[in-house]
Amino acid sequence: MTTSPDPFDDIVLDENFIAGGPREAAADERIAKASRIARGNDRLAAAGEIADGTGKPGYRRLRRSTPWILIGVVIAVAIVAVALLVR
């Protein structure tokens, strides 16, 4: 056992403690927020920016490696061309 005092000994769970806690939004506010989120998701799905569950992938940017792959292919073709010209 430790000899250090318990840091929670000074906490009293009274009305002031409960009143100082975070407030939860009312049910109608939570429903309104969920409705706004659902409308936004429906709009994004209609625009094709998120997957809609049909197996179609959502909108995706090109990966960062795509330019490097292209640069590598150009360098490889240049090396082959130089090798054929020198021969």
Side-chain angles (χ1 to χ4, degrees), residues 66-78:
T66 303
W68 292 108
I69 293 172
L70 182 61
I71 291 170
V73 168
V74 169
I75 291 172
V77 168

Side-chain angles (χ1 to χ4, degrees), residues 2-51:
T2 63
T3 58
S4 62
D6 188 0
F8 299 107
D9 282 341
D10 295 334
I11 295 179
V12 178
L13 302 177
D14 60 359
E15 292 297 322
N16 291 333
F17 178 82
I18 294 171
R23 294 281 179 216
E24 184 175 290
D28 54 347
E29 292 171 2
R30 293 191 312 263
I31 291 170
K33 181 179 178 181
S35 296
R36 284 193 307 273
I37 291 170
R39 283 193 307 271
N41 288 343
D42 291 342
R43 181 183 52 79
L44 291 173
E49 294 187 16
I50 60 174

